[in-house]
Structure formats: C-alpha cells, structure tokens
C-alpha cells in the first residue's frame, strides 16, 4: 500500500508518466492549474496496477512511500545485497536491503525492503509488487540454524553433521526395505537452482 504526502510533491509528474507510458493504466493525473495543481487519482479509482511499488523508487523527493517500509528504519542504516527474485520464472535482479543490527542493542539482522536492480535484458528498472512484497514471508520467523528434535530436546547442528545424519537415516531406511518412508519436502519459495 502506498502513501502520498502532497506537501512533499514537487509536481515532477514521474509517477503520472510511469502509469501512463509503462503500465498503461493511467490512474494518476495532475489536476487544477497554477499554484493549485496537485497529483491525484483519476475518477476515484485507486492505483491497482501490479507495478505500483515502482512509484516509490521513481519519486525523487519521497512524496510517495510504502506503508510497510515507511519510518521503520533509516535508509542509510541498510546494507544492500545483490540477489535475484525467486518468486517467479522471470528472475528479476533485485537489491535486498537488510539491517545488520546494532552492536549496543539486541536487534537481529533483518530484511526491510526489496528494490529492483537494473538489468535491461530481464526486468529493466522495474519489478512487480509480488516480488517486492514477497520478502515478508521469507523474513518472518525464519530459522537461524539447523535444528534436530529428538525426544522433545532440540539441538543445533552444523551443515556437515546434518547432512551426515540425513544420509545415515536414508541408508538405514533403504537397507531395511522401507524406502517408502523416505520423502523430500520442498518449498515453492525456492529458486529453480535450489530445487535442482
């Protein structure tokens, strides 16, 4: 969901031109004239294009902001990491802006927003709202370590120990003729490379 602060708007019309030329949906326009001119919604129709989040990136003065990110942290605290969006087959190049946490307070590393990264052959300078909002599911309640649960007791395992343990269990079930008890559980958020 987007928020428009009209007192910040300088009437550059970048948002209006984006919805006119790129998405072709034309929800925004400049209304009135002279010192009463302002950006507004045409005929009361909300901006419902699947690329509305790009308006935040286009606005040079921060008049259009994203309600999810708005005032949650300072942009200069964020560390951008180059990545690819895993939510569809297009493979848009993105920046994942994460907060590293503070040394003096208990604040864990976490993702605050996802932005498009320029690639003229794949996604240009844009990304869809599904990719922009999809990071929320990836960041909330995410496991920070591999956990082994045995008899109600959880212990953390290294990758090497976890893979050795899983390999041992698969060989044990196969040697007992119980290969029908072996299953692999995958998640639709994984990329094609991860699934392979």
């Amino acid at each position: 969901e987007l928020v428009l602060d009209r007192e910040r708007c300088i009437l550059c019309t970048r948002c209006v031109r984006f919805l006119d030329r790129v998405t072709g949906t034309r929800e925004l326009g400049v209304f009135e004239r002279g010192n009463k001119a302002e950006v507004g919604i045409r005929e009361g129709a909300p901006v419902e294009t699947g690329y509305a989040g790009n308006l935040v990136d286009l606005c040079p003065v921060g008049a259009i902001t994203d309600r999810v990110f708005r005032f949650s942290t300072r942009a200069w605290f964020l560390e951008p990491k180059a990545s690819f969006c895993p939510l569809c087959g297009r493979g848009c190049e993105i920046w994942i802006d994460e907060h590293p946490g503070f040394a003096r307070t208990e604040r864990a590393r976490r993702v605050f927003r996802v932005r498009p990264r320029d690639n003229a052959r794949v996604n240009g300078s844009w990304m869809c709202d599904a990719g922009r909002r999809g990071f929320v599911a990836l960041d909330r309640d995410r496991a920070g370590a591999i956990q082994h649960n045995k008899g109600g007791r959880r212990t953390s395992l290294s990758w090497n120990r976890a893979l050795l343990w899983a390999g041992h269990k698969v060989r044990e079930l196969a040697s007992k003729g119980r290969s029908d008890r072996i299953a692999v559980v995958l998640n639709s958020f994984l990329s094609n490379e991860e699934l392979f």
Side-chain angles (χ1 to χ4, degrees), residues 3-180:
V3 178
L4 171 63
D5 291 331
R6 284 199 173 97
E7 70 276 1
R8 291 182 181 177
C9 183
I10 59 171
L11 289 174
C12 69
T13 70
R14 292 177 85 179
C15 56
V16 175
R17 288 179 284 142
F18 174 79
L19 294 174
D20 182 39
R21 297 178 187 164
V22 177
T23 67
T25 53
R26 298 182 175 92
E27 293 102 338
L28 295 179
V30 177
F31 300 97
E32 299 296 332
R33 295 189 316 189
N35 65 349
K36 293 186 179 184
E38 66 181 19
V39 171
I41 298 171
R42 293 183 193 270
E43 302 172 12
V47 178
E48 291 183 332
T49 177
Y51 288 84
N54 292 292
L55 298 175
V56 175
D57 302 327
L58 284 171
C59 186
V61 293
I64 300 174
T65 54
D66 188 339
R67 192 178 300 276
V68 174
F69 179 70
R70 183 179 171 95
F71 309 130
S72 58
T73 189
R74 302 287 187 194
W76 54 84
F77 289 152
L78 300 175
E79 295 178 0
K81 306 287 186 188
S83 188
F84 297 90
C85 181
L87 299 180
C88 75
R90 178 180 278 178
C92 294
E93 294 194 23
I94 60 172
W95 292 108
I96 298 177
D97 291 337
E98 67 176 9
H99 196 295
F102 291 116
R104 288 185 277 166
T105 60
E106 291 287 331
R107 185 169 190 178
R109 177 179 294 270
R110 93 169 254 247
V111 174
F112 271 89
R113 67 179 175 185
V114 174
R115 298 177 292 125
R117 192 163 46 114
D118 286 339
N119 184 336
R121 295 179 308 195
V122 179
N123 57 304
S125 301
W126 323 119
M127 72 181 296
C128 69
D129 289 348
R132 192 178 292 267
R133 305 257 187 280
F135 82 90
V136 174
L138 298 174
D139 193 49
R140 294 250 162 78
D141 300 324
R142 189 169 184 166
I146 301 170
Q147 299 286 319
H148 179 253
N149 190 354
K150 184 172 184 178
R153 277 190 47 230
R154 285 189 179 185
T155 55
S156 293
L157 298 177
S158 68
W159 275 103
N160 287 338
R161 281 206 52 182
L163 291 172
L164 287 171
W165 177 83
H168 170 73
K169 286 295 183 183
V170 167
R171 281 192 298 278
E172 182 182 325
L173 287 170
S175 69
K176 292 180 180 177
R178 301 188 67 193
S179 58
D180 59 331

